[in-house]
Amino acid sequence: MTARGCGKVRGVGPEILEAGVAAIARAAELIRAGDLVAFPTETVYGLGADATSDAAIAAIFAAKDRPTFNPLIVHFADPRAASRQVAFDARARLLAKSFWPGPLTLVLPRRESCRISLLTSSGLDTLAVRVPGHPIAREFLAAAARPIAAPSANVSGRVSPTTARHVVDSLDGCVSLILDGGPCEIGIESTVVDLSGGPALMLRPGGVSREAIEAVIGGIAEFGGGDAPAKSPGLQDRHYAPDRPLRLNATRAHAGEAFLGFGRDAPKSLPGDVMNLSPSGNVDEAAANLFAMIRALDRKGISAIAVAPIPDHGLGRAINDRLRRAASGDA
Ligand code: AMP
Ligand code: MG
């Protein structure tokens, strides 16, 4: 039996290696050969491929069952490597200086000489670029000596992976090697800011807060409105979804529901499963726990996962964005 469109046999399982020097060298070799390698970043685990190879990029879309109109983020070892492929303006330089390496993605115009596969950016004349901060990701990028396109290492539309185990559960035979670097520190995807023309536009809240970005480049417009789908084709859909429905802004669980709490006041014991994103009410801690706890509560036999309200500041905005989209379409 094959899994999705990746052509590999389910159950044959990927190689999982603790990310030391030899494992990173092997991962880099596989990338250069056109294979898919999952690796840790400070946000979530990425499913990486050589961004200059049409065939390798096509394999990412197949493995994730991701619509090809949803463009990928390309990761670089350093800002200089990124600036060879896309054009930075003054705002982009300021943001890169402030937040790279780190969980910020910039959408910038492709240079005419850009070597990144057009499939990566779904034929758009812009490209999403990032220099990640995780030491394993950086060593891997340096060893591969080429840009690596990497969406989250999960089937399209489902919960993102924050451990190597989650990647195995999500993609199984579709990935050649998983570099295991332990749990991801931030646990939520990068912030995506579009600087490809006109005012800065926040396409996706994420690991760098809006407040931190505005402190560097001033006010930034919110994604939405008429041209939104054309600007970022992947942001419309239901996404991050567990198997069971989510019920948001819940103060308690109904019979049959699991409960995902936040802060001191969250109930500790209920008849069903209960977890707390952050007993001390810290949104950064909650972001780091979000996807792993949703996965843990998403079990057969429950009717829904009831989720407590999360404050809408700092990384809380990114959490609420993920929760809203995970719940969209649920009754
Ligand atoms: P993911 O790979 O799942 O982390 O998602 C990457 C996000 O960045 C998606 O929501 C894409 O729509 C967005 N994105 C990637 N490239 C571009 C681009 N060139 N223009 C606008 N949005 C982009
Ligand atoms: Mg994703």
Side-chain angles (χ1 to χ4, degrees):
M1 185 173 69
T2 59
R4 296 171 296 282
C6 72
K8 294 204 173 160
V9 178
R10 245 202 191 292
V12 166
E15 203 179 343
I16 306 173
L17 295 176
E18 211 172 297
V21 175
I24 290 171
R26 165 124 185 86
E29 203 178 285
L30 287 167
I31 286 287
R32 285 195 296 269
D35 276 26
L36 302 185
V37 172
F39 64 101
T41 78
E42 68 276 28
T43 59
V44 301
Y45 273 72
L47 179 64
D50 179 350
T52 64
S53 158
D54 288 334
I57 297 303
I60 288 187
F61 282 101
K64 280 182 63 82
D65 215 354
R66 176 164 168 134
T68 50
F69 60 75
N70 186 4
L72 308 177
I73 295 170
V74 181
H75 298 72
F76 296 86
D78 54 66
R80 185 184 291 263
S83 70
R84 281 197 284 272
Q85 309 298 335
V86 288
F88 281 65
D89 64 8
R91 298 167 304 180
R93 275 192 290 275
L94 268 176
L95 288 178
K97 201 162 172 236
S98 304
F99 300 113
W100 281 359
L104 176 69
T105 295
L106 300 175
V107 173
L108 296 170
R110 291 171 71 105
R111 288 189 185 282
E112 232 165 80
S113 56
C114 182
R115 289 176 50 239
I116 307 299
S117 160
L118 270 172
L119 201 52
T120 308
S121 45
S122 303
L124 298 170
D125 52 11
T126 56
L127 187 69
V129 298
R130 171 172 167 227
V131 175
H134 196 297
I136 293 167
R138 302 201 72 199
E139 283 171 39
F140 173 45
L141 282 158
R146 66 198 57 203
I148 293 181
S152 51
N154 55 279
V155 174
S156 183
R158 310 312 296 272
V159 184
S160 300
T162 55
T163 66
R165 184 73 238 166
H166 294 161
V167 180
V168 179
D169 294 345
S170 306
L171 292 175
D172 198 0
C174 284
V175 52
S176 299
L177 170 65
I178 301 171
L179 284 177
D180 188 349
C184 302
E185 201 180 321
I186 295 175
I188 206 151
E189 293 82 353
S190 61
T191 303
V192 182
V193 175
D194 183 355
L195 295 171
S196 63
L201 184 63
M202 169 82 90
L203 294 181
R204 174 174 80 183
V208 177
S209 70
R210 159 186 284 274
E211 294 90 331
I213 289 169
E214 292 192 329
V216 176
I217 58 163
I220 163 165
E222 195 66 58
F223 172 74
D227 64 348
K231 279 254 179 221
S232 200
L235 286 169
Q236 300 296 301
D237 305 325
R238 179 176 157 90
H239 222 96
Y240 314 106
D243 286 333
R244 259 54 62 175
L246 289 185
R247 186 168 66 80
L248 303 187
N249 296 315
T251 45
R252 60 187 192 83
H254 297 155
E257 288 181 338
F259 190 74
L260 185 56
F262 176 87
R264 270 181 260 283
D265 299 334
K268 286 183 190 61
S269 63
L270 288 165
D273 285 341
V274 181
M275 296 184 102
N276 194 327
L277 288 166
S278 172
S280 67
N282 177 318
V283 287
D284 293 355
E285 182 186 22
N289 286 328
L290 180 69
F291 292 135
M293 288 188 175
I294 287 179
R295 279 174 184 263
L297 292 174
D298 188 19
R299 297 221 189 92
K300 282 202 182 75
I302 62 161
S303 56
I305 304 171
V307 187
I310 312 294
D312 207 37
H313 61 75
L315 294 203
R317 288 185 207 254
I319 296 173
N320 285 324
D321 167 78
R322 305 305 186 269
L323 288 172
R324 266 193 304 274
R325 289 202 272 143
S328 83
D330 290 345

